[in-house]
């Protein structure tokens, strides 16, 4: 087959030129994104239940939802959080689940459940999470004055939002901070009493006046007419003409007993930008969009908004394009600089210009052809996939190095160019394919990794695998053809080695001779290095993901007091003012938010404050200032987080080190026993923080006197409606004049509690009684939130990392059970243990797969063991460099270790294959297989393999150097992996140069062959 290709150079050159041109065109077709589009196996169901307590949200809404959704296919976890006005249900799925089908199933079950939910509550929203659901930009719309706020809010919702949605590549546009308008009816209590009009009569009259009736039609012979019953109320001003019947039976117009005015809907939250109220618009990109083209269009449109709508100021914040630019540019720099360093290294070893040029051109050719497969496999250009290419830059040239080296040796041996190209390529086919397989096969077990890490590794492994197999194609087909065309010089004129390589080769032979002379000493040194590598692993700290430079913070605040919204806003503004000297930009969501696609909701007692600083040093200073400001509020709890962006948001894990869930063994449980339990934790100096479900806040409880209601024949519905009007607002329909509905609310917001309790309710005979006769209010303490899972409600605390955590957990379990509570544990501590078990399993599977590949190649049970004994040497080198650089064990460094497993065996594989061929060759020549011949074979095989060994390991390592020395989010992520690979291939390869000959010598000795 190789001969067929070599004898048709024109066809091969034209074919590869066409493939390169095709790849060049497809570069501009492949989607560009920060991260690959991954279906995160999680959904949330958001519940908005205005004026409902946490207990009502739990009992009336969340509990039925949990019962209904617990039967969804592929569901692995379910829990909920109920707070005042809001509730959230979190659904976790198996990573193999089809999330599109799961989303449909969840919505179908929610539709079937609607009849069991409160009728006045909006339908719960089901939100599906995807990597592309993260906002790529936030647009701040700040009114120039408070007088224009409502105008700006309507403009944003009805015009700006729709214009943004029309941009190609935009998926969803979300909003927060908008304000709606409502018609407010304020009853005049004295006049209503004078006319004998009840609250229920007023509400009924307003509702009937704008009720729409459908399904009416009139038949007249052969004609049929549909009838639309026209409402009495066409505009808000018409409400004043609505008639209400009093006790006397005489109709009274609404305007005589109540005032009607347009007002802003009841505020439940604010959005602040640099301390000023405004509206924020978040924009999400489609999975297949090219972000590098979408973001400039968004900026251009925002600039047009600024010119067209002077009543507002527009700013872009949390623009994720800097992440895209920095991440993609990092990888591009790595590819370009790594490729340049690799090519420069080739000229250091090779004595002629043609060989390094032939090897070097395999890099751009392989990359261009790889882009074709990017399009075929649906991959995008993102940090993860391009990092796979950056990792493979040094490897792309490895196959050509080995093939060209063998062809050159055949030429020097006297064969023609054609025969040298054919025989050299054929003889290297098996070891080169084995090298690629040992590199690729180690990625397969990584699919075992749970979570997003496993999904991201998949993208990287596909990119690397494609590029390596393309480089294999280039090495076996194009490289021999180009060698024949470019290297036609006679063998005696081929200068193969440089002065530098000649020096290295001579030193290598001296070293091998000394090692074979001091075999036991060097064998002991090797075993010591292996033990050292294992020992070093215990001194390297563990974390889930590598540290990335952070300049942004997000403060999650819970005041744990029944504050009104204005006080929440005032406290948030005070915090922002305190931070202003060191903060460049700040955003705050105060109270309840209106985002549709936000995962976590907030209540009016909470606030989220985001700020960005110029440097990480200033961010840390701002974090300290936050602590100093918030300790002024003794009941306040807060959490200072590194602000998630479009990249880190997927990796942020809000789980505490250990979450302890207390579940009552008897229904209800005792709050007093919980207090005893928390006191026990304090006495034993356990470091913990109470979570919202364990925290209590002051509240008022209304108690109806049912006996008095029965005695005076007062209807419960009459009291409920009167209380709604007095202490909240009662919905009385909506006015629909121009297709834009305006809600009508009846409320009596002013006045003290005592004054409101003087309001009257009437019985069926029309006799009026003050409402205070039938209700009393008393102060109580209630839990701020209610947490629940499949097994029911629980209270929880969060433990921080502390010594002897296992003993602490056992003690907590024993104490809790003695107080009537069962205990369950979750958190990072258990996730990290599971991750370590998975990585250990992956390591074992990789070893088995490597042994299988090597045993098939060598047709031996023993020789694969020799090759695999070099793995601990590579691991030792990787651990040593990781420890020196202050690195950690994390997902990315673990991937580096797996890659080292595949690469460190390449030289031993080639060397054992060469030794086997030399042994067969000398046996056939009749040479006696003794110790002298074995020494000769070791030196000869070492010289044959030395140059490919050095070039392969050094080109792979040197191509990764830019990752170590160039900053940026892309390199921050890849740096631990690069450190491990460089340490494993440089330090590990140094030891393998003598260990493989030494191990081969001992195997021959022990098996009695010499």
């Amino acid at each position: 087959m190789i001969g067929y290709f070599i004898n048709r150079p024109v066809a091969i050159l034209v074919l590869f030129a066409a493939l390169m041109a095709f790849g060049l065109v497809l570069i501009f077709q492949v989607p560009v994104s920060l991260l690959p589009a991954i279906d995160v196996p999680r959904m949330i169901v958001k519940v908005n239940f205005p004026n409902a307590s946490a207990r009502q949200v739990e009992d009336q809404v969340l509990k039925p939802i949990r019962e209904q959704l617990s039967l969804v296919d592929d569901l692995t976890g379910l829990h909920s959080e109920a707070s005042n006005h809001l509730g959230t249900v979190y659904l976790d799925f198996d990573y193999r689940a089809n999330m599109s089908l799961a989303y449909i199933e969840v919505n179908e079950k929610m539709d079937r459940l609607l009849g069991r939910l409160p009728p006045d509550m909006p339908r719960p929203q089901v939100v599906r999470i995807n990597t592309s659901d993260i906002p790529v930009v936030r647009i701040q719309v700040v009114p120039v004055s408070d007088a224009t706020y409502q105008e700006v809010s309507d403009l944003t919702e009805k015009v700006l939002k729709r214009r943004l949605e029309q941009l190609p590549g935009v998926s969803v546009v979300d909003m927060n901070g908008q304000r709606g308008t409502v018609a407010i009816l304020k009853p005049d209590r004295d006049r209503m009493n004078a006319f004998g009009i009840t609250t229920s009569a007023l509400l009924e009259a307003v509702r009937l006046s704008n009720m729409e009736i459908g399904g009416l039609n009139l038949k007249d012979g052969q004609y049929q007419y549909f009838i639309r019953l026209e409402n009495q109320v066409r505009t808000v001003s018409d409400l004043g003409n609505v008639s209400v019947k009093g006790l006397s039976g005489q109709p009274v117009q609404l305007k005589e007993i109540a005032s009607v005015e347009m007002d802003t809907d009841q505020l439940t939250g604010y959005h602040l930008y640099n301390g000023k109220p405004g509206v924020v618009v978040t924009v999400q990109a489609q999975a297949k969009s090219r972000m590098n083209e979408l973001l400039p269009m968004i900026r251009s449109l925002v600039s047009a908004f600024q010119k067209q709508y002077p009543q507002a100021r527009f700013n872009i914040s949390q623009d994720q394009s800097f992440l895209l630019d920095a991440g993609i540019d990092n990888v591009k720099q790595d590819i370009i600089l790594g490729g340049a360093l690799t090519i420069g290294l080739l000229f250091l070893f090779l004595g002629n210009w043609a060989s390094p040029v032939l090897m070097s051109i395999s890099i751009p050719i392989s990359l261009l052809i790889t882009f074709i497969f990017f399009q075929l496999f649906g991959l995008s250009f993102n940090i993860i996939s391009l990092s796979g290419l950056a990792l493979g830059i040094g490897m792309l040239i490895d196959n050509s190095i080995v093939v060209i080296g063998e062809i050159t040796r055949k030429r020097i041996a006297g064969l023609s160019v054609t025969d040298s190209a054919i025989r050299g390529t054929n003889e290297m086919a098996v070891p080169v394919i084995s090298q690629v397989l040992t590199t690729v096969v180690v990625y397969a077990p990584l699919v075992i990794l749970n979570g997003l890490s496993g999904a991201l590794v998949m993208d990287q492994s596909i990119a690397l695998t494609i590029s390596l197999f393309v480089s294999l194609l280039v090495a076996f087909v194009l490289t021999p053809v180009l060698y024949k065309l470019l290297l036609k010089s006679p063998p005696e004129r081929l200068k193969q080695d440089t002065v530098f390589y000649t020096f290295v080769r001579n030193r290598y032979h001296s070293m091998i001779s000394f090692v074979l002379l001091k075999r036991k000493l060097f064998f002991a040194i090797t075993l010591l290095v292996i033990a050292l590598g294992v020992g070093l692993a215990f001194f390297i700290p563990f974390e889930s993901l590598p540290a990335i430079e952070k300049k942004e913070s997000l403060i999650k605040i819970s005041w744990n007091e029944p504050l009104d919204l204005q006080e929440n806003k005032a406290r948030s503004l005070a915090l922002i003012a305190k931070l202003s000297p060191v903060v460049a930009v700040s955003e705050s969501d105060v109270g309840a938010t209106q985002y549709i696609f936000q995962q976590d909701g907030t209540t009016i007692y909470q606030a989220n404050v985001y700020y960005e600083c110029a440097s990480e040093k200033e961010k840390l200073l701002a974090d300290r200032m936050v602590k100093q400001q918030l300790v002024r509020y003794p009941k306040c709890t807060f959490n200072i987080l590194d602000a998630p962006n479009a990249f880190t948001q997927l990796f942020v894990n809000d789980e505490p080190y250990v979450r302890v869930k207390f579940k009552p063994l008897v229904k209800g449980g005792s709050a007093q026993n919980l207090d005893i339990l928390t006191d026990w934790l304090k006495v034993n100096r356990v470091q913990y923080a109470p979570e919202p479900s364990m925290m209590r806040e002051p509240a008022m409880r209304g108690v109806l006197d049912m006996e008095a209601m029965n005695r005076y024949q007062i209807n419960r519905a009459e009291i409920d409606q009167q209380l709604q009007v007095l202490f909240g607002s009662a919905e009385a329909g909506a006015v629909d004049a121009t297709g834009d509905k305006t809600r009508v609310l009846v409320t009596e917001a002013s006045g003290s509690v005592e004054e409101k309790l003087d309001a009257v309710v009437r019985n069926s005979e029309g006799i009026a009684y003050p409402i205070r006769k039938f209700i009393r209010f008393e102060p109580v303490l209630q839990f701020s939130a209610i947490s629940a899972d499949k097994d029911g409600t629980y209270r929880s605390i969060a433990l921080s990392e502390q010594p002897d955590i296992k003993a602490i957990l056992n003690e907590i379990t024993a104490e809790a059970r003695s107080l009537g509570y069962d205990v369950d544990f979750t958190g990072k501590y258990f996730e990290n243990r599971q991750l370590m078990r998975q990585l250990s399993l992956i390591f074992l599977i990789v070893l088995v797969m490597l042994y299988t590949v090597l045993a098939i190649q060598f047709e031996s049970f023993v020789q694969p063991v020799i090759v695999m004994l070099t793995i601990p040497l590579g691991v030792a080198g990787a651990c040593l460099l990781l420890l020196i650089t202050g690195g950690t064990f994390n997902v990315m460094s673990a991937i580096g270790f797996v890659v080292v497993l595949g690469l460190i065996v390449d030289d031993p594989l080639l060397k054992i294959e060469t030794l086997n061929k030399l042994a067969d060759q000398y046996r056939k020549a009749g040479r006696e297989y003794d110790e002298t011949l074995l020494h000769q074979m070791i030196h000869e095989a070492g010289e044959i393999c030395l140059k490919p060994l050095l070039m392969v390991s050094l080109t792979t390592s040197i191509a990764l150097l830019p990752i170590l020395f160039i900053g940026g989010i892309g390199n921050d992520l890849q740096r631990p992996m690069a450190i491990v690979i460089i340490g494993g291939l440089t330090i590990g390869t140094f030891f393998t140069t003598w260990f493989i000959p030494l191990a081969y010598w001992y195997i021959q000795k022990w098996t009695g062959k010499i």
Side-chain angles (χ1 to χ4, degrees), residues 576-587:
I576 294 168
K578 182 81 173 178
L579 298 175
S580 58
V582 294
V583 166
V585 175
S586 70
E587 286 186 54

Side-chain angles (χ1 to χ4, degrees), residues 975-996:
R975 191 166 290 120
M977 181 178 67
I979 291 172
V980 168
I981 294 174
I982 291 172
L985 292 187
T986 53
I987 301 174
T989 298
F990 172 72
F991 286 100
T992 61
T993 54
W994 80 59
F995 177 72
I996 290 299

Side-chain angles (χ1 to χ4, degrees), residues 725-941:
V725 172
L726 292 172
F727 298 102
S729 59
E731 192 90 27
V735 177
D736 187 5
T738 60
D740 195 6
K741 288 190 175 183
T742 302
R743 295 164 59 227
V744 181
L745 301 178
V746 180
T747 183
E748 190 177 330
S750 60
S752 66
V753 173
E754 291 301 316
E755 289 174 342
K756 291 183 177 183
L757 290 177
D758 288 333
V760 300
V761 291
R762 296 178 184 272
N763 61 13
S764 57
E765 296 176 359
I767 302 173
Y769 299 96
I771 197 171
R772 68 171 63 250
K773 290 179 71 70
F774 310 105
I775 190 170
R776 72 179 188 276
F777 293 101
E778 51 190 41
V780 295
L781 283 176
Q782 66 178 19
F783 286 103
S784 302
I786 300 174
S787 300
D789 56 20
K790 287 183 177 181
D791 300 324
T793 60
Y794 61 84
R795 308 293 173 188
S796 61
I797 60 173
L799 302 184
S800 56
E801 189 171 356
Q802 47 201 296
D804 203 9
I805 189 69
K806 289 185 70 174
I808 291 174
L809 298 183
N810 291 332
E811 292 173 6
I812 290 175
T813 301
E815 184 67 19
R817 286 179 176 168
S818 70
L819 294 170
Y821 281 87
D822 196 6
V823 183
D824 190 18
F825 300 106
T826 60
K828 293 179 182 177
Y829 170 72
F830 299 97
E831 293 175 1
N832 290 344
R833 291 179 64 185
Q834 182 186 10
L835 182 60
M836 286 301 296
R837 286 194 296 268
Q838 289 177 346
L839 292 176
S840 301
L841 177 61
I842 287 169
F843 188 83
L844 291 175
I845 294 175
V846 166
L847 292 180
V848 172
M849 295 180 73
L850 283 175
Y851 181 85
T852 303
V853 172
L854 296 172
I856 291 172
Q857 178 183 347
F858 295 136
E859 191 58 33
S860 168
F861 293 111
V862 178
Q863 290 184 351
V865 176
I866 301 176
V867 174
M868 294 182 66
L869 283 174
T870 61
I871 290 175
L873 296 172
V875 171
C879 287
L880 180 61
L881 191 59
L882 200 61
L883 194 64
I884 292 172
T885 57
T888 62
F889 278 132
N890 52 62
V891 170
M892 300 310 296
S893 59
I895 295 172
F897 276 104
V898 172
V899 173
V900 167
L901 299 186
L903 294 179
I904 196 68
V905 300
D906 285 352
D907 170 60
L909 187 155
L910 184 60
K911 193 167 289 183
I912 296 293
E913 179 76 14
T914 304
L915 284 167
N916 289 339
K917 287 182 178 179
L918 289 174
D920 289 341
Q921 177 183 325
Y922 286 126
R923 284 195 185 97
K924 291 177 181 178
R927 289 282 302 274
E928 182 182 356
Y929 195 71
D930 55 11
E931 191 167 336
T932 302
L933 178 60
L934 182 58
H935 280 221
Q936 179 185 335
M937 286 168 48
I938 288 174
H939 279 277
E940 191 174 341

Side-chain angles (χ1 to χ4, degrees), residues 386-416:
L386 289 182
S387 68
L389 295 183
L391 176 62
I393 280 296
M395 302 181 200
L396 295 181
I397 206 170
D398 294 351
N399 301 326
S400 294
I401 288 174
V402 175
V403 170
I404 290 175
E406 186 63 20
I407 293 174
T408 303
R409 276 192 293 274
K410 298 298 181 185
R411 285 278 287 133
I412 294 174
L415 296 180
S416 66

